[in-house]
Amino acid sequence: MNTTGWRKGLRVTADGTGIVSHAGVMLVRALSDKTGLTAGLSKALATGRLLVHDRGRVLADLACAIADGGEVISDFRVIGDQEELFGLVASVPTAWRTLDEIARGGERALGKITAAVNAARRRAWAQIVARHGALPGIRMADKTLTGVTCIRLDASVVTCHSDKEGAEPNFKGFGLHPLLAYCDNTTEPLAGMLRKGSAGSNTAADHLTVLEAAITAVPPAFRRRLMITCDGAGASHDLITRLDTLAARPGYQVIYSVGWELGKREKAVIAAVPAGAWQIAVDERGEARERRTEDACGDPGCAHRRCWIEEAHVTELTGLLRESPAGNQLDGWPEKMRLFARRERPHPGAQLSLFETADGWRYSLWVTNLPEHTTGWRGQLAYIDAAHRVHARVEDAIRTGKDCGIGKYPSTALAMNKAWQAAALTAATLLAWLKLLALDGPLARAEPKTLRYRLLHAAAKLTRGGRQRRLNTSATWPWAADITTAWDRISALPQAP
Ligand SMILES: [Zn+2]
């Protein structure tokens, strides 16, 4: 057999016509147009000057390029190359100029862009509900909470090696330190603040600003029942007070779940928890997080490290702290605030505090205002824990977000990178809408890399006949039907005014 003969007589030339590379980008571009995002951005960035390239179109196209995997502004050429399909697309210098104009417009320009995205989100979510019957629920272990919109706040460090404005040393290295808010139901980013590297993980003022922006980003019809999560030892007085105020508004329900520091008084209280008050935690499948090794000893409740693969418990600390011999240790915090603790057998090699090392457990603490009288699974300790662990999914969102523009900021100027971040968050938003409005099965849950490999980067042939243009994807492309179905679904969406 000739295993290398395929190259025989093969000539490679650069003179093909009618070929569209990355043809799947048309899906996100059409979605941007249909939801009114493109038109909204166009209005937001309109100037009195006569311009060849509408700045809203340029920004929408930049978002499409980032959704497609573009990491630097010069990757914009991929879309610019498809004039027969997309019409006149701005050049790379025009894309730079557009970001520069947004940067010079400062917070005012960014605010207008945000408003345009939020207006498009109202239409997109209405269509998501039309297609699925409701917004996706919030997964908590084996259960799903429906009818509630979940906002998760998290700060993340983006490492930068070059000499970027605002790149500063921080606890994870050197770089920028954006604070982001994601919607757990749809996985899309709702708000983001690009901060200097030295910005704190728990800076209350930043959290309040991003929280406010995230709530504003949620379409009004979905703001009545909110769940808000924040990790780290994020429970600053200002943040909890604000959440408590939000929760007290008549006609609104806000349940928060915020990380809490393991301090001296908490350690003392943990030591006083009766053994029977720790209840078993549950995993993603709703099964007890309790697994012993095959050669474990005969005592099923033993404390030997080597006998356990996994063991995790939950308990409530509120009563012990509020009614401690030293008085109410949660004095000054909202009355409805409850404190919980999870203890887990640490993974081998996990970093532990001295207290945890002495004790053999690793602890996570958080506070919530979930009412004590909450009935059903939602009120059970194991699910109060699962509800807080929902927060861990924000890390997936940030990881995929870093794959989608926020892992690499293109400029040395902070204001330019803020403009780029606006495009990047729009890109991630478009991909989330694409999945919920036009895709099925595994693709509807896929990460950006998979969507690109299978859909966005697919090639197609553009032909003309009569007054029509036809775009043919290859009949043998494994995801050809997914592309045509998605196109039909997007085409069937109502056109936003
Ligand atoms: Zn043992």
Side-chain angles (χ1 to χ4, degrees), residues 217-231:
V218 172
F222 301 88
R223 275 182 218 158
R224 290 261 161 193
R225 296 179 71 202
L226 293 177
M227 177 172 149
I228 296 164
T229 71
C230 182
D231 211 359

Side-chain angles (χ1 to χ4, degrees), residues 61 64 78 100 104 122 165 172 195 213 239 250 253 268 326 352 365 372-373 375 415 425 449 479 485 492 494:
D61 284 346
C64 290
V78 172
D100 184 50
R104 279 189 276 120
R122 286 200 278 280
E165 180 190 353
K172 275 185 184 164
R195 308 181 305 164
L239 178 62
Q253 183 202 73
L352 299 178
L365 273 61
E372 269 180 74
H373 56 72
T375 52
L425 296 185
K449 277 183 181 168
W479 301 282
T485 307

Side-chain angles (χ1 to χ4, degrees), residues 96-108:
W96 265 110
R97 203 149 48 233
T98 301
L99 285 184
D100 184 50
E101 286 162 10
I102 296 167
R104 279 189 276 120
E107 293 304 320
R108 201 175 118 81

Side-chain angles (χ1 to χ4, degrees), residues 292 297 299 302 304 307:
R292 286 171 68 75
C297 73
D299 172 11
C302 79
H304 306 135
C307 293

Side-chain angles (χ1 to χ4, degrees), residues 117-435:
V117 175
N118 291 351
R121 178 175 294 113
R122 286 200 278 280
R123 300 188 197 101
W125 283 26
Q127 292 307 312
I128 290 168
V129 171
R131 183 181 176 206
H132 298 278
L135 205 63
I138 309 158
R139 282 180 297 112
M140 296 179 178
D142 58 324
K143 311 280 195 226
T144 302
L145 184 67
T146 54
V148 176
T149 310
C150 177
I151 298 171
R152 303 176 311 203
L153 298 179
D154 207 15
S156 177
V157 172
V158 175
T159 305
C160 308
H161 297 290
S162 57
D163 192 17
K164 291 194 193 306
E165 180 190 353
E168 289 168 353
N170 53 57
F171 63 99
K172 275 185 184 164
F174 190 90
L176 293 164
H177 197 179
L179 178 63
L180 299 151
Y182 283 87
C183 173
D184 185 74
N185 309 67
T186 64
T187 73
E188 72 197 86
L190 293 171
M193 182 191 269
L194 184 56
R195 308 181 305 164
K196 293 178 179 180
S198 59
S201 294
N202 302 319
T203 312
D206 295 350
H207 276 79
L208 292 182
T209 305
V210 173
L211 173 64
E212 200 67 49
I215 293 175
T216 308
V218 172
F222 301 88
R223 275 182 218 158
R224 290 261 161 193
R225 296 179 71 202
L226 293 177
M227 177 172 149
I228 296 164
T229 71
C230 182
D231 211 359
S236 69
H237 237 286
D238 288 348
L239 178 62
I240 298 294
T241 304
R242 178 73 189 133
L243 291 168
D244 192 56
T245 309
L246 286 172
R249 293 169 304 163
Y252 287 83
Q253 183 202 73
V254 175
I255 301 293
Y256 61 78
S257 191
V258 180
W260 185 271
E261 209 173 342
L262 175 64
K264 217 171 162 185
R265 58 184 181 182
E266 288 80 7
K267 287 174 190 168
V269 151
I270 282 172
V273 174
W278 289 101
Q279 287 187 23
I280 192 79
V282 295
D283 65 12
E284 288 298 295
R285 298 177 303 276
E287 285 163 21
R289 292 183 60 194
E290 195 170 48
R291 280 191 303 145
R292 286 171 68 75
T293 53
E294 278 178 23
D295 57 349
C297 73
D299 172 11
C302 79
H304 306 135
R305 282 290 296 279
R306 58 167 194 85
C307 293
W308 293 96
I309 297 167
E310 187 178 26
E311 195 186 13
H313 300 117
V314 201
T315 197
E316 178 165 6
L317 302 176
T318 319
L320 287 170
L321 276 163
R322 290 227 188 256
E323 288 137 38
S324 88
N328 183 357
Q329 308 259 316
L330 295 176
D331 198 23
W333 294 89
E335 230 170 90
K336 289 178 180 146
M337 191 186 82
R338 302 165 73 194
L339 176 62
F340 291 85
R342 180 194 324 128
R343 64 175 191 188
E344 294 160 285
R345 293 289 174 201
H347 301 291
Q351 282 196 355
L352 299 178
S353 68
L354 277 176
F355 173 72
E356 290 171 323
T357 307
D359 190 63
W361 296 97
R362 143 163 271 187
Y363 292 97
S364 313
L365 273 61
W366 71 98
V367 289
T368 174
N369 62 336
L370 186 80
E372 269 180 74
H373 56 72
T374 305
T375 52
W377 61 268
R378 183 72 178 92
Q380 293 168 13
L381 272 178
Y383 288 96
I384 292 172
D385 171 46
H388 185 65
R389 272 186 292 120
V390 162
H391 189 78
R393 284 204 291 273
V394 78
E395 285 158 25
D396 289 333
I398 288 182
R399 181 174 50 77
T400 54
K402 285 185 178 175
D403 245 5
C404 206
I406 59 168
K408 267 189 190 160
Y409 292 97
S411 174
T412 51
L414 190 61
M416 280 289 271
N417 288 333
K418 284 183 178 178
W420 169 268
Q421 178 166 286
L425 296 185
T426 306
T429 301
L430 285 171
L431 287 180
W433 295 348
L434 174 69
K435 291 194 280 185

